[in-house]
Amino acid sequence: MLIAELNHRVKNTLVTVQSIVAQGLRTSGDVAAVRAAIVARLSVLSRSHDILTGERWVSAGLRDVVLDAMAPFGIGDGRAERFVIAGENVRLAPKAVLALGVALHELATNALKYGALSNDAGSILIDWLTKPGKDGDRLVLRWRETGGPPVSPPTRMGSARKCWVAG
């Protein structure tokens, strides 16, 4: 039974790695940029695995996942004042931890390139709450950037994203 569970987790991780590599290869023709993006995404996936291992792969705290995902962006190196993180350390299932770690990393990467972290004045608020729903509690997570450069519509649209919302 233990080997079957390990096999399942390894397969899930390999599918995630395939997705990370495929995404990295389609973003740029610059080999160094592609390599850096893939390495960074695999690093955040590895750190999420570390969090889950420390919790015996049962669940992990959302606050822990957020802090870990923001660590490479300076939350512990003098940029902490640029981040406001608020919410109880609600427990997340392993699959959600892995997906959210990578998603938060992508948001922070975009903030560093184009948003609130691309200048000296911007800041990021990450907060969440749980709301009761008919099928159980629902997690509502918000990522808000302020003080960054003006927002403008994208110049191109990816195949998976057919809409753009500002505000």
Side-chain angles (χ1 to χ4, degrees):
M1 189 165 68
L2 184 60
I3 289 175
E5 178 62 25
L6 179 61
N7 186 41
H8 176 73
R9 288 185 185 163
V10 168
K11 284 182 179 180
N12 285 342
T13 299
L14 289 174
V15 167
T16 303
V17 169
Q18 285 176 325
S19 175
I20 286 170
V21 171
Q23 182 182 11
L25 291 174
R26 73 176 177 174
T27 58
S28 168
D30 179 10
V31 174
V34 169
R35 181 178 188 276
I38 290 171
V39 167
R41 290 175 181 138
L42 291 176
S43 177
V44 76
L45 182 63
S46 174
R47 288 192 318 274
S48 293
H49 272 255
D50 288 345
I51 290 172
L52 286 166
T53 299
E55 300 285 345
R56 299 180 169 259
W57 277 81
V58 174
S59 65
L62 176 53
R63 185 175 195 75
D64 301 329
V65 173
V66 170
L67 290 172
D68 187 71
M70 295 303 100
F73 301 93
I75 197 163
D77 296 331
R79 280 197 193 156
E81 73 280 355
R82 297 184 69 181
F83 290 90
V84 175
I85 299 172
E88 293 190 27
N89 205 14
V90 296
R91 305 303 290 181
L92 299 175
K95 219 174 199 177
V97 169
L98 297 174
L100 191 57
V102 173
L104 289 167
H105 171 82
E106 291 301 311
L107 287 168
T109 297
N110 286 338
L112 188 62
K113 289 179 184 178
Y114 314 110
L117 298 180
S118 68
N119 63 27
D120 293 332
S123 63
I124 297 174
L125 167 66
I126 307 167
D127 66 345
W128 59 90
L129 54 89
T130 55
K131 288 186 174 181
K134 63 181 178 184
D135 298 326
D137 286 348
R138 188 176 128 211
L139 177 68
V140 178
L141 185 137
R142 293 185 306 175
W143 174 283
R144 292 187 294 176
E145 297 182 37
T146 59
V151 176
S152 58
T155 57
R156 67 178 182 82
M157 219 181 296
S159 60
R161 186 163 184 201
K162 298 295 182 195
C163 67
W164 179 77
V165 178

